[in-house]
Amino acid sequence: MTAQGQKIGIVGAGLSGAVIARELAEAGFEVEVFDTRPHIGGNCHTERDSDTGVMVHIYGPHIFHTDDAEVWDYVNGYQTFLPYKNRVKTTSQGQVYSLPVNLHTINQFFGKTFRPEEARAFIEAQADKTVTDPQTFEEQALRFVGRDLYEAFFKGYTEKQWGCSPTDLPASILKRLPVRFNYDDNYFFHKFQGMPENGYTDMIEKIFDHPKIKVTLGQHVDPRAPHDYTHLFYSGPLDGYFGYEFGRLGYRTLDFERFTYQGDYQGCAVMNYGDASVPYTRITEHKHFSPWESHEGSVCYREFSRACGEDDIPYYPIRLVEEKAQLADYVARANEETSVTFVGRLATYRYLDMDVTIREALDTARLFLAKAKDEAAM
Ligand code: FAD
Ligand code: UDP
């Protein structure tokens, strides 16, 4: 297949769709992109708040962090990334602590003045040694931080976030968070971290800005309806593509309750709430994501998590152990589709950070182009 005159369809104008569109357009393909929503950017969408002028992460806080130098160069090619470290706080049992759990958290919580090795030994003594091979979220927490820290910071938050007991969730969810025996309170440990100067949507708009890319917004696509595309890249929900044939895959959705404030509401971008008695999981104060800007007014989002209904936006794939067979059925069906490639967080039903999304989109596009080149040579 040569690129000349070949039309490619892409369902979804998020990061996956944008990166693939650009790679294929640069190789000479005509690319048409569709999104149900009235804006590009998918869940990374940012826009200025009409009252305060603050850049808002509409679908929840997004911090760019990666060890992948090529991905870092890629995003910097479309946007200036300014230095940003995510320093998260959590309110629990009437006090504010620093996350991820670090030496400050441990000393404050237990009223101690431990040095690193003392803290390590103390936490190790708290650990539940009967857990040898942690499988669940709760086992992982009890094994690595002990019951007191688990109950203060993780149990209530996780019940609110996932709507189930931490005993039903895989250990892998907690493994995303480090425990540090020093005062490093950077939420991430990646080499490259930052925030796009003009927001993610501006960056994605620049990725789409190519004469061979046409983006149509506000248009829901039935990906199985007849079309004249040589190939389709689909970044919508995997189960939706197959008409929920094997039932619905479990998702959590989020509700955001917006409020404004004159001044600085909470002094940081993200304040988590560890107590089960507080109905929301966290409050995001968006102006702290752009410390290089100056705004008197402030806009904050209280974030509530709940089960995803049929008309809600799917945010977090739950991936309960008992869903594995159902997911395997969908993946097997997806593998049978030769003229459609399933990409991104929804179509592969995985929690993907932005850097991994970009990496996979680049690899997917390159594989497609290499195959097209081979076919043209035959
Ligand atoms: P999406 O952004 O979901 O885009 C898919 C698009 O397809 C959507 O716009 C949708 O409307 C459209 N679509 C679906 N079906 C159809 C259809 N049939 N017809 C037309 N359009 C359709 N990552 C980080 O690296 N750092 C973070 O701090 C971070 N925070 C996050 C916080 C939250 C609350 C969430 C949910 C995710 C976070 N992420 C973060 C992950 C990040 O959002 C994803 O990596 C990224 O959005 C994935 O892009 P995507 O294009 O695969 O999917
Ligand atoms: N978590 C928690 N308390 C917190 C922050 C996180 O219990 O204050 C748990 C929660 O289950 C969450 C998981 O740790 O889903 C991973 O945290 P992360 O910050 O990576 O969550 P995400 O970015 O997925 O919202």
Side-chain angles (χ1 to χ4, degrees):
M1 186 206 310
T2 57
Q4 211 50 45
Q6 302 286 346
K7 241 175 25 171
I8 303 293
I10 299 188
V11 181
L15 261 183
S16 299
V19 172
I20 292 172
R22 182 70 185 224
E23 292 296 295
L24 300 195
E26 286 190 352
F29 286 90
E30 296 291 333
V31 186
E32 293 186 359
V33 186
F34 300 90
D35 205 298
T36 315
R37 298 179 187 181
H39 59 73
I40 60 165
N43 273 12
C44 305
H45 176 52
T46 46
E47 82 186 32
R48 288 212 180 267
D49 181 67
S50 55
D51 292 334
T52 59
V54 169
M55 186 64 82
V56 173
H57 297 196
I58 298 292
Y59 299 96
H62 277 69
I63 296 94
F64 202 92
H65 52 97
T66 189
D67 281 330
D68 190 326
E70 193 196 354
V71 167
W72 183 241
D73 286 347
Y74 183 90
V75 293
N76 277 276
Y78 293 102
Q79 183 80 195
T80 302
F81 272 70
L82 294 172
Y84 184 84
K85 295 269 184 293
N86 198 28
R87 295 207 159 85
V88 177
K89 305 290 172 214
T90 185
T91 299
S92 171
Q93 301 163 2
Q95 284 206 54
V96 175
Y97 299 92
S98 152
L99 282 184
V101 171
N102 63 65
L103 192 48
H104 202 163
T105 325
I106 295 166
N107 276 334
Q108 183 188 351
F109 187 82
F110 293 104
K112 303 287 187 190
T113 53
F114 287 138
R115 289 184 293 115
E117 290 317 315
E118 293 167 334
R120 192 186 292 277
F122 179 83
I123 294 298
E124 183 56 24
Q126 306 270 313
D128 184 344
K129 311 278 189 329
T130 61
V131 180
T132 48
D133 180 20
Q135 296 297 316
T136 70
F137 185 108
E138 179 165 288
E139 286 173 352
Q140 176 76 12
L142 293 178
R143 178 66 190 85
F144 288 99
V145 296
R147 183 164 295 278
D148 291 345
L149 291 175
Y150 165 58
E151 290 190 344
F153 300 133
F154 300 112
K155 188 167 185 288
Y157 186 99
T158 296
E159 285 165 358
K160 290 188 283 186
Q161 170 76 2
W162 296 100
C164 62
S165 164
T167 54
D168 294 330
L169 290 166
S172 56
I173 294 181
L174 185 58
K175 284 184 189 158
R176 294 211 284 262
L177 296 186
V179 175
R180 299 213 183 93
F181 297 102
N182 57 32
Y183 289 100
D184 180 0
D185 62 351
N186 185 350
Y187 205 70
F188 302 113
F189 43 79
H190 296 92
K191 192 167 164 190
F192 309 107
Q193 304 184 29
M195 201 55 88
E197 185 173 17
N198 299 311
Y200 293 101
T201 296
D202 187 70
M203 173 182 89
I204 294 170
E205 199 177 311
K206 292 189 166 89
I207 299 176
F208 275 131
D209 184 16
H210 188 285
K212 285 191 174 293
I213 302 177
K214 182 173 169 240
V215 181
T216 306
L217 296 175
Q219 187 160 328
H220 190 76
V221 173
D222 174 358
R224 293 213 286 180
H227 58 72
D228 58 356
Y229 298 112
T230 312
H231 196 89
L232 209 60
F233 289 87
Y234 176 75
S235 70
L238 175 62
D239 50 359
Y241 182 93
F242 295 104
Y244 307 101
E245 191 179 325
F246 305 113
R248 282 182 182 267
L249 291 167
Y251 270 103
R252 299 292 285 172
T253 192
L254 300 176
D255 294 319
F256 297 100
E257 195 178 271
R258 174 189 176 277
F259 63 96
T260 54
Y261 184 81
Q262 240 356 75
D264 188 356
Y265 177 72
Q266 61 183 20
C268 64
V270 181
M271 174 67 76
N272 289 356
Y273 286 83
D275 300 326
S277 56
V278 177
Y280 40 89
T281 51
R282 56 185 175 183
I283 297 181
T284 299
E285 184 168 18
H286 293 269
K287 72 177 177 184
H288 293 294
F289 287 134
S290 316
W292 56 90
E293 293 185 1
S294 169
H295 298 279
E296 255 314 294
S298 193
V299 58
C300 302
Y301 280 19
R302 282 191 196 93
E303 189 172 321
F304 300 80
S305 171
R306 63 175 168 81
C308 188
E310 289 187 14
D311 297 326
D312 295 320
I313 297 175
Y315 281 82
Y316 291 99
I318 306 179
R319 295 181 80 95
L320 288 177
V321 181
E322 65 254 31
E323 280 174 340
K324 263 196 173 153
Q326 187 191 18
L327 177 58
D329 286 340
Y330 279 123
V331 170
R333 291 283 272 109
N335 289 338
E336 287 166 10
E337 302 278 316
T338 50
S339 59
V340 183
T341 306
F342 293 76
V343 290
R345 58 175 206 105
L346 294 170
T348 64
Y349 192 61
R350 286 173 304 151
Y351 183 93
L352 297 181
D353 274 325
M354 292 181 279
D355 63 325
V356 181
T357 302
I358 295 171
R359 160 56 53 207
E360 293 194 357
L362 286 171
D363 291 348
T364 301
R366 286 169 189 171
L367 189 66
F368 176 82
L369 291 173
K371 274 193 190 152
K373 200 171 158 202
D374 285 351
E375 279 171 28
M378 279 202 300

